[in-house]
Protein backbone atom coordinates (compact mmCIF):
# COMPACT_ATOMS: atom_id res chain seq x y z
CA UNK A 1 0.00 0.00 0.00
CA UNK A 2 1.08 3.54 -0.71
CA UNK A 3 1.52 6.16 2.00
CA UNK A 4 -1.42 8.46 1.25
CA UNK A 5 -2.25 10.02 4.63
CA UNK A 6 -0.24 12.12 7.07
CA UNK A 7 -0.96 13.05 10.67
CA UNK A 8 0.02 16.46 12.03
CA UNK A 9 -0.19 16.65 15.85
CA UNK A 10 -0.83 20.39 16.39
CA UNK A 11 -2.74 20.53 19.67
CA UNK A 12 0.15 21.90 21.76
CA UNK A 13 -0.20 25.24 23.54
CA UNK A 14 3.22 26.61 22.59
CA UNK A 15 3.88 27.92 26.09
CA UNK A 16 7.60 28.43 25.37
CA UNK A 17 6.64 31.28 23.02
CA UNK A 18 4.26 33.15 25.31
CA UNK A 19 3.25 35.98 24.96
CA UNK A 20 3.41 35.54 21.15
CA UNK A 21 1.30 32.37 21.37
CA UNK A 22 -1.23 33.64 23.91
CA UNK A 23 -3.79 34.17 21.15
CA UNK A 24 -2.07 32.53 18.17
CA UNK A 25 -1.27 28.90 17.41
CA UNK A 26 2.48 28.31 17.63
CA UNK A 27 2.34 26.57 14.24
CA UNK A 28 1.36 29.92 12.72
CA UNK A 29 4.58 31.65 13.79
CA UNK A 30 6.28 32.77 10.55
CA UNK A 31 9.63 31.60 9.25
CA UNK A 32 10.47 34.41 6.84
CA UNK A 33 7.00 34.84 5.30
CA UNK A 34 5.32 31.46 5.75
CA UNK A 35 3.91 29.86 8.90
CA UNK A 36 5.90 26.92 10.25
CA UNK A 37 3.00 24.59 9.51
CA UNK A 38 2.96 25.51 5.83
CA UNK A 39 6.49 24.22 5.28
CA UNK A 40 5.49 20.82 6.68
CA UNK A 41 2.24 20.68 4.71
CA UNK A 42 4.09 21.48 1.48
CA UNK A 43 6.62 18.75 2.30
CA UNK A 44 3.78 16.26 2.76
CA UNK A 45 2.02 17.12 -0.49
CA UNK A 46 5.34 17.02 -2.39
CA UNK A 47 5.84 13.49 -1.04
CA UNK A 48 2.58 12.35 -2.62
CA UNK A 49 0.39 12.59 0.47
CA UNK A 50 -3.27 12.86 -0.53
CA UNK A 51 -4.93 13.57 2.81
CA UNK A 52 -3.70 15.50 5.84
CA UNK A 53 -5.11 14.93 9.32
CA UNK A 54 -4.63 17.81 11.74
CA UNK A 55 -5.01 16.72 15.37
CA UNK A 56 -5.92 20.02 16.95
CA UNK A 57 -6.96 21.48 20.28
CA UNK A 58 -8.47 24.71 21.54
CA UNK A 59 -7.18 27.95 20.04
CA UNK A 60 -6.26 26.56 16.62
CA UNK A 61 -8.83 28.40 14.51
CA UNK A 62 -6.15 30.52 12.82
CA UNK A 63 -4.51 27.33 11.57
CA UNK A 64 -7.78 26.12 10.07
CA UNK A 65 -8.46 29.52 8.49
CA UNK A 66 -4.99 29.57 6.93
CA UNK A 67 -5.84 26.58 4.73
CA UNK A 68 -9.29 27.90 3.81
CA UNK A 69 -10.55 30.52 1.35
CA UNK A 70 -10.54 34.19 2.37
CA UNK A 71 -12.89 35.87 -0.06
CA UNK A 72 -12.37 39.34 1.45
CA UNK A 73 -8.59 39.23 1.00
CA UNK A 74 -8.85 37.65 -2.45
CA UNK A 75 -11.29 40.33 -3.58
CA UNK A 76 -9.06 43.12 -2.22
CA UNK A 77 -5.95 41.72 -3.94
CA UNK A 78 -7.82 41.22 -7.22
CA UNK A 79 -9.16 44.77 -7.08
CA UNK A 80 -5.63 46.15 -6.53
CA UNK A 81 -4.18 44.03 -9.34
CA UNK A 82 -1.85 42.12 -7.02
CA UNK A 83 -2.07 38.91 -9.01
CA UNK A 84 1.08 37.30 -7.58
CA UNK A 85 -0.16 37.61 -3.99
CA UNK A 86 -3.61 36.45 -5.05
CA UNK A 87 -2.16 33.34 -6.65
CA UNK A 88 -0.09 32.59 -3.54
CA UNK A 89 -3.01 32.60 -1.13
CA UNK A 90 -5.23 30.65 -3.54
CA UNK A 91 -2.56 27.96 -3.77
CA UNK A 92 -2.71 27.52 0.01
CA UNK A 93 -6.18 26.00 -0.24
CA UNK A 94 -6.15 22.31 -1.21
CA UNK A 95 -9.15 20.69 -2.83
CA UNK A 96 -12.10 19.84 -0.61
CA UNK A 97 -11.56 16.79 1.60
CA UNK A 98 -7.78 16.94 1.43
CA UNK A 99 -7.49 18.30 4.97
CA UNK A 100 -9.38 16.70 7.86
CA UNK A 101 -9.52 17.92 11.46
CA UNK A 102 -9.94 15.94 14.66
CA UNK A 103 -9.54 16.96 18.30
CA UNK A 104 -7.21 15.86 21.07
CA UNK A 105 -9.37 16.76 24.05
CA UNK A 106 -6.68 16.07 26.67
CA UNK A 107 -2.95 16.92 26.47
CA UNK A 108 -1.77 13.35 27.01
CA UNK A 109 1.28 13.39 24.76
CA UNK A 110 2.41 12.80 21.20
CA UNK A 111 1.41 9.13 21.20
CA UNK A 112 -2.11 9.99 22.28
CA UNK A 113 -2.40 12.72 19.62
CA UNK A 114 -1.54 10.22 16.90
CA UNK A 115 -3.97 7.68 18.36
CA UNK A 116 -6.73 10.28 18.03
CA UNK A 117 -6.40 9.97 14.23
CA UNK A 118 -6.86 6.18 14.18
CA UNK A 119 -10.36 6.12 12.68
CA UNK A 120 -9.38 8.48 9.88
CA UNK A 121 -6.19 6.59 9.03
CA UNK A 122 -7.76 3.14 9.11
CA UNK A 123 -5.74 0.06 8.24
CA UNK A 124 -3.00 1.56 6.10
CA UNK A 125 0.52 2.95 6.55
CA UNK A 126 0.70 6.65 7.28
CA UNK A 127 3.16 9.48 7.84
CA UNK A 128 3.56 11.69 10.89
CA UNK A 129 5.13 15.14 10.63
CA UNK A 130 6.02 17.32 13.60
CA UNK A 131 5.93 20.86 12.25
CA UNK A 132 8.32 22.15 14.93
CA UNK A 133 11.07 20.13 13.23
CA UNK A 134 11.81 22.30 10.20
CA UNK A 135 14.35 20.70 7.87
CA UNK A 136 16.46 22.48 5.28
CA UNK A 137 17.52 19.80 2.83
CA UNK A 138 18.37 19.44 -0.87
CA UNK A 139 16.03 16.43 -0.93
CA UNK A 140 12.72 16.79 0.97
CA UNK A 141 12.94 14.31 3.82
CA UNK A 142 9.46 12.80 3.65
CA UNK A 143 9.75 12.28 -0.11
CA UNK A 144 12.94 10.29 0.43
CA UNK A 145 11.34 8.29 3.24
CA UNK A 146 8.36 7.39 1.04
CA UNK A 147 10.76 6.08 -1.60
CA UNK A 148 12.56 3.99 1.03
CA UNK A 149 9.25 2.72 2.40
CA UNK A 150 8.09 1.60 -1.05
CA UNK A 151 11.10 -0.74 -1.07
CA UNK A 152 11.48 -1.70 2.60
CA UNK A 153 7.76 -1.92 3.51
CA UNK A 154 8.26 -1.31 7.23
CA UNK A 155 7.89 1.48 9.78
CA UNK A 156 10.55 4.14 9.59
CA UNK A 157 11.72 7.29 11.38
CA UNK A 158 14.02 10.08 10.32
CA UNK A 159 17.16 10.06 12.47
CA UNK A 160 20.21 12.23 13.04
CA UNK A 161 23.23 12.38 15.32
CA UNK A 162 22.96 14.78 18.26
CA UNK A 163 25.58 15.99 20.79
CA UNK A 164 26.20 13.41 23.50
CA UNK A 165 25.09 15.79 26.24
CA UNK A 166 21.67 16.34 24.61
CA UNK A 167 20.36 12.78 24.48
CA UNK A 168 17.86 13.59 27.24
CA UNK A 169 15.90 15.72 24.74
CA UNK A 170 15.22 12.95 22.19
CA UNK A 171 14.20 9.38 21.57
CA UNK A 172 17.59 7.65 21.25
CA UNK A 173 18.31 4.52 19.23
CA UNK A 174 20.29 1.36 19.58
CA UNK A 175 20.68 0.54 15.88
CA UNK A 176 22.87 -1.17 13.29
CA UNK A 177 23.63 0.19 9.84
CA UNK A 178 22.20 -1.87 6.98
CA UNK A 179 22.71 0.59 4.14
CA UNK A 180 24.54 3.86 3.65
CA UNK A 181 21.62 5.92 4.97
CA UNK A 182 19.46 3.25 6.62
CA UNK A 183 19.77 1.69 10.07
CA UNK A 184 17.76 -1.14 11.55
CA UNK A 185 16.52 -0.24 15.01
CA UNK A 186 17.16 -2.77 17.77
CA UNK A 187 15.90 -0.70 20.68
CA UNK A 188 14.95 2.86 21.59
CA UNK A 189 14.80 4.87 24.80
CA UNK A 190 12.81 8.05 25.34
CA UNK A 191 15.00 10.92 26.61
CA UNK A 192 17.79 8.93 28.31
CA UNK A 193 20.55 10.63 30.26
CA UNK A 194 23.94 10.67 28.47
CA UNK A 195 25.10 7.82 30.71
CA UNK A 196 22.10 5.65 29.81
CA UNK A 197 21.98 6.46 26.08
CA UNK A 198 22.95 3.54 23.81
CA UNK A 199 24.13 6.00 21.13
CA UNK A 200 23.75 9.60 20.01
CA UNK A 201 21.42 8.69 17.14
CA UNK A 202 18.10 10.46 17.70
CA UNK A 203 14.64 10.30 16.17
CA UNK A 204 13.33 13.59 14.79
CA UNK A 205 9.85 14.58 13.65
CA UNK A 206 9.27 12.55 10.49
CA UNK A 207 7.78 9.05 10.63
CA UNK A 208 6.14 6.46 8.42
CA UNK A 209 4.23 3.99 10.57
CA UNK A 210 2.38 0.77 10.01
CA UNK A 211 -1.21 0.78 11.38
CA UNK A 212 -0.30 -1.87 13.98
CA UNK A 213 1.09 1.02 16.04
CA UNK A 214 -2.48 2.02 17.02
CA UNK A 215 -2.85 -1.17 19.06
CA UNK A 216 0.02 -0.14 21.31
CA UNK A 217 -0.94 3.53 21.43
CA UNK A 218 -4.44 2.46 22.43
CA UNK A 219 -3.09 0.83 25.59
CA UNK A 220 -2.45 4.40 26.80
CA UNK A 221 0.56 3.53 28.91
CA UNK A 222 2.25 6.56 30.46
CA UNK A 223 5.94 7.01 29.79
CA UNK A 224 8.46 9.83 30.17
CA UNK A 225 6.88 12.98 31.62
CA UNK A 226 3.71 11.06 32.48
CA UNK A 227 2.63 11.23 28.81
CA UNK A 228 1.72 8.57 26.23
CA UNK A 229 4.93 8.42 24.23
CA UNK A 230 5.15 7.37 20.58
CA UNK A 231 8.65 6.01 21.27
CA UNK A 232 7.26 3.53 23.83
CA UNK A 233 4.67 2.25 21.35
CA UNK A 234 7.32 1.90 18.65
CA UNK A 235 9.49 -0.03 21.08
CA UNK A 236 6.62 -2.48 21.64
CA UNK A 237 6.01 -2.71 17.90
CA UNK A 238 9.64 -3.78 17.48
CA UNK A 239 8.77 -7.11 19.08
CA UNK A 240 6.49 -7.89 16.12
CA UNK A 241 7.75 -5.85 13.18
CA UNK A 242 11.04 -4.33 12.05
CA UNK A 243 11.53 -0.57 12.24
CA UNK A 244 14.19 1.35 10.36
CA UNK A 245 15.82 4.75 10.64
CA UNK A 246 16.54 7.02 7.69
CA UNK A 247 19.67 9.17 8.10
CA UNK A 248 18.64 12.23 6.12
CA UNK A 249 20.94 14.84 4.64
CA UNK A 250 20.28 18.43 5.61
CA UNK A 251 19.91 20.60 8.69
CA UNK A 252 17.10 20.35 11.21
CA UNK A 253 15.89 23.37 13.16
CA UNK A 254 13.94 22.99 16.39
CA UNK A 255 11.29 25.67 15.95
CA UNK A 256 9.80 24.78 19.31
CA UNK A 257 12.85 26.44 20.83
CA UNK A 258 13.39 30.20 20.72
CA UNK A 259 17.00 30.00 19.55
CA UNK A 260 16.20 27.26 17.02
CA UNK A 261 13.31 29.31 15.67
CA UNK A 262 15.54 32.34 15.09
CA UNK A 263 18.19 30.15 13.44
CA UNK A 264 15.54 28.77 11.09
CA UNK A 265 14.43 32.27 10.14
CA UNK A 266 17.99 33.29 9.32
CA UNK A 267 18.84 30.10 7.40
CA UNK A 268 15.68 30.17 5.27
CA UNK A 269 15.94 33.93 4.71
CA UNK A 270 19.45 33.48 3.33
CA UNK A 271 17.95 31.22 0.65
CA UNK A 272 15.92 34.16 -0.67
CA UNK A 273 17.95 36.05 -3.32
CA UNK A 274 15.89 39.23 -2.90
CA UNK A 275 17.01 39.69 0.73
CA UNK A 276 20.16 37.59 0.99
CA UNK A 277 22.71 40.34 0.31
CA UNK A 278 21.13 42.76 2.79
CA UNK A 279 21.11 40.09 5.48
CA UNK A 280 24.72 39.12 4.91
CA UNK A 281 25.73 42.76 5.18
CA UNK A 282 23.77 43.13 8.41
CA UNK A 283 25.29 39.94 9.89
CA UNK A 284 28.81 41.19 9.16
CA UNK A 285 27.96 44.54 10.70
CA UNK A 286 26.56 43.25 14.00
CA UNK A 287 29.34 40.67 14.36
CA UNK A 288 31.65 43.54 15.22
CA UNK A 289 29.70 44.07 18.45
CA UNK A 290 30.32 40.55 19.77
Amino acid sequence: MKVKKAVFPVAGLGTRFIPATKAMAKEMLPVVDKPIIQYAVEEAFNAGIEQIVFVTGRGKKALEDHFDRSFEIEHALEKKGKTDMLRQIQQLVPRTGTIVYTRQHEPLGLGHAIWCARDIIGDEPFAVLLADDLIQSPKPVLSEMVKKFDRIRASMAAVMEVPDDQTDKYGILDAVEVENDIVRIKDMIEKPSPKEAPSNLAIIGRYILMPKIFEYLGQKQSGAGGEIQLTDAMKSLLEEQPIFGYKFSGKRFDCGDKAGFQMANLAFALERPEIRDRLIGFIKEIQKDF
Side-chain angles (χ1 to χ4, degrees):
M1 297 178 69
K2 294 286 185 181
V3 181
K4 298 179 181 179
K5 298 178 182 179
V7 176
F8 285 71
V10 291
L13 296 175
T15 52
R16 281 187 283 181
F17 282 88
I18 285 175
T21 51
K22 178 178 179 290
M24 179 174 69
K26 66 173 182 174
E27 295 82 13
M28 294 303 297
L29 293 172
V31 172
V32 190
D33 57 2
K34 292 195 294 189
I36 298 169
I37 190 67
Q38 188 176 329
Y39 289 92
V41 167
E42 289 174 355
E43 181 182 343
F45 283 138
N46 288 337
I49 296 299
E50 297 177 8
Q51 187 174 65
I52 285 172
V53 183
F54 283 128
V55 183
T56 69
R58 290 178 60 83
K60 301 293 179 173
K61 189 175 186 303
L63 187 151
E64 297 181 16
D65 288 344
H66 182 70
F67 293 103
D68 200 355
R69 297 290 300 273
S70 176
F71 295 103
E72 297 87 352
I73 294 176
E74 290 178 29
H75 176 71
L77 292 175
E78 186 176 14
K79 191 174 180 180
K80 294 179 180 179
K82 296 184 177 181
T83 55
D84 287 343
M85 288 186 180
L86 177 61
R87 186 178 65 254
Q88 286 180 45
I89 66 167
Q90 288 177 337
Q91 288 174 345
L92 290 174
V93 184
R95 67 183 186 276
T96 302
T98 303
I99 294 182
V100 178
Y101 298 90
T102 189
R103 282 288 189 112
Q104 183 186 21
H105 296 292
E106 299 177 86
L108 298 180
L110 173 61
H112 179 259
I114 295 169
W115 178 80
C116 290
R118 66 199 182 284
D119 292 333
I120 302 171
I121 297 300
D123 189 25
E124 58 184 278
F126 64 101
V128 175
L129 294 91
L130 307 186
D132 281 355
D133 282 335
L134 184 55
I135 303 172
Q136 190 179 47
S137 175
K139 297 179 179 179
V141 173
L142 189 63
S143 292
E144 293 301 303
M145 291 178 68
V146 168
K147 293 176 186 175
K148 300 288 185 184
F149 176 83
D150 287 342
R151 180 168 55 85
I152 296 173
R153 312 303 297 173
S155 295
M156 185 182 308
V159 300
M160 69 176 192
E161 293 183 353
V162 299
D164 291 339
D165 62 353
Q166 294 184 21
T167 56
D168 59 352
K169 298 178 182 178
Y170 302 90
I172 300 296
L173 304 180
D174 180 6
V176 293
E177 187 173 288
V178 294
E179 294 179 14
N180 203 27
D181 55 0
I182 295 288
V183 297
R184 180 162 181 161
I185 299 172
K186 297 192 297 181
D187 196 6
M188 56 186 76
I189 303 174
E190 181 66 20
K191 299 179 180 178
S193 68
K195 290 183 180 179
E196 298 172 329
S199 72
N200 69 338
L201 197 61
I203 296 175
I204 65 103
R206 301 291 183 276
Y207 306 82
I208 295 177
L209 299 170
M210 300 299 283
K212 184 77 174 178
I213 195 74
F214 289 123
E215 292 184 21
Y216 296 104
L217 293 174
Q219 295 173 10
K220 300 182 180 179
Q221 296 180 354
S222 296
E227 297 183 336
I228 299 170
Q229 299 288 349
L230 174 59
T231 304
D232 294 338
M234 292 175 67
K235 185 172 180 174
S236 298
L237 182 62
L238 269 175
E239 298 177 8
E240 294 189 52
Q241 299 178 359
I243 303 178
F244 294 87
Y246 168 58
K247 298 170 71 174
F248 65 92
S249 60
K251 186 169 181 59
R252 171 256 190 182
F253 298 93
D254 180 5
C255 289
D257 170 80
K258 290 180 182 178
F261 176 70
Q262 300 302 332
M263 292 175 194
N265 263 284
L266 182 58
F268 279 78
L270 288 171
E271 288 186 330
R272 304 289 185 89
E274 70 274 17
I275 58 176
R276 175 183 170 85
D277 291 343
R278 289 178 61 194
L279 285 173
I280 291 174
F282 176 70
I283 292 167
K284 290 178 178 178
E285 180 183 333
I286 62 172
Q287 275 183 325
K288 299 173 186 176
D289 298 328
F290 295 95

